[in-house]
Amino acid sequence: MTRQQRADYVARNLAKLYPATPIPLDHTDAFTLLVAVVLSAQCTDKKVNEVTPKLFARYPSAAAYASADRGEMEELIRPTGFYRNKTDSLLKLGQALLDRYDGQVPGRLVDLVTLPGIGRKTANVVLNVAFGEPTMAVDTHIFRVSNRTGLAPGKNPLAVELQLMKKPKTFLQN
C-alpha cells in the first residue's frame, strides 16, 4: 500500500468512527467563534469555554468590543493567559469589524487575515466551522504529524496547508 493509500484508508475509517466532530469551543455564531479562537491561543478549549459565557454576555457584538473597558475585559479573560495581548487584539478586532465590515465577520480568507489578532489558522477555523468552507487549519500538531508521516511535508504551516488541500476529497471530509 502506498503512503497515499494508507492515508486514504485512515481517513475513511476515521470518518466512519467520528462522522461529526464538533468544534470543542462553545459559540453561537461566526463572531463568538472568532473571539473564542482568538482566546484559545496558548490555552485549553476547556478554559476558554469557562471564560466565554460571561464575556459573551457582557460583550455581545463587535461594537461592544470596540467600546469595551480594557481593564474589565482583561479581568474577564485573564484565566486564558496572555490576557493583555488578547484584550488588545479583541478591542482592535471589534473596531476593525465595525469600520470595515459593518460589525459582521467576513466570510473570505483574504479579509479575515487582515483583522487584528487573526492569522491564517484562525481564519481557516472560522471559515470551516462558521461558513462551511473546505479549509485546513494547520496548527503545530497538524504541521508536525504531516511532516513526520510525509503526508504533506512543508517547511512552514502554509506549505503544509497547501499540500493537504491538494489531497483527495475523502481525506478532507469531516
Side-chain angles (χ1 to χ4, degrees), residues 52-111:
T52 52
K54 286 182 184 176
L55 183 69
F56 295 159
R58 178 69 180 97
Y59 304 107
S61 66
Y65 282 79
S67 63
D69 176 79
R70 173 180 289 279
E72 182 181 357
M73 185 175 286
E74 283 180 354
E75 284 307 309
L76 283 170
I77 69 170
R78 182 185 292 267
T80 67
F82 302 98
Y83 63 93
R84 288 188 180 101
N85 289 339
K86 290 177 183 181
T87 297
D88 192 51
S89 290
L90 292 174
L91 295 173
K92 290 177 180 176
L93 175 62
Q95 191 61 56
L97 287 172
L98 277 180
D99 293 345
R100 295 188 234 158
Y101 303 105
D102 219 17
Q104 300 302 306
V105 176
R108 297 182 334 145
L109 180 70
V110 67
D111 297 326

Side-chain angles (χ1 to χ4, degrees), residues 93-146:
L93 175 62
Q95 191 61 56
L97 287 172
L98 277 180
D99 293 345
R100 295 188 234 158
Y101 303 105
D102 219 17
Q104 300 302 306
V105 176
R108 297 182 334 145
L109 180 70
V110 67
D111 297 326
L112 283 166
V113 296
T114 67
L115 295 169
I118 309 303
R120 194 170 179 97
K121 182 190 90 167
T122 297
N124 278 325
V125 169
V126 171
L127 288 171
N128 182 266
V129 175
F131 295 100
E133 295 293 324
T135 63
M136 180 60 67
V138 177
D139 63 7
T140 56
H141 309 293
I142 299 291
F143 180 75
R144 184 176 55 247
V145 169
S146 295

Side-chain angles (χ1 to χ4, degrees), residues 14-84:
L14 286 173
K16 286 177 192 172
L17 289 170
Y18 307 101
T21 308
I23 186 166
L25 292 170
D26 295 338
H27 65 284
T28 56
D29 55 25
F31 179 70
T32 56
L33 175 62
L34 185 62
V35 170
V37 176
V38 167
L39 293 176
S40 73
Q42 303 295 312
C43 184
T44 65
D45 294 339
K46 180 182 178 192
K47 183 57 71 180
V48 171
N49 288 339
E50 290 172 6
V51 167
T52 52
K54 286 182 184 176
L55 183 69
F56 295 159
R58 178 69 180 97
Y59 304 107
S61 66
Y65 282 79
S67 63
D69 176 79
R70 173 180 289 279
E72 182 181 357
M73 185 175 286
E74 283 180 354
E75 284 307 309
L76 283 170
I77 69 170
R78 182 185 292 267
T80 67
F82 302 98
Y83 63 93
R84 288 188 180 101

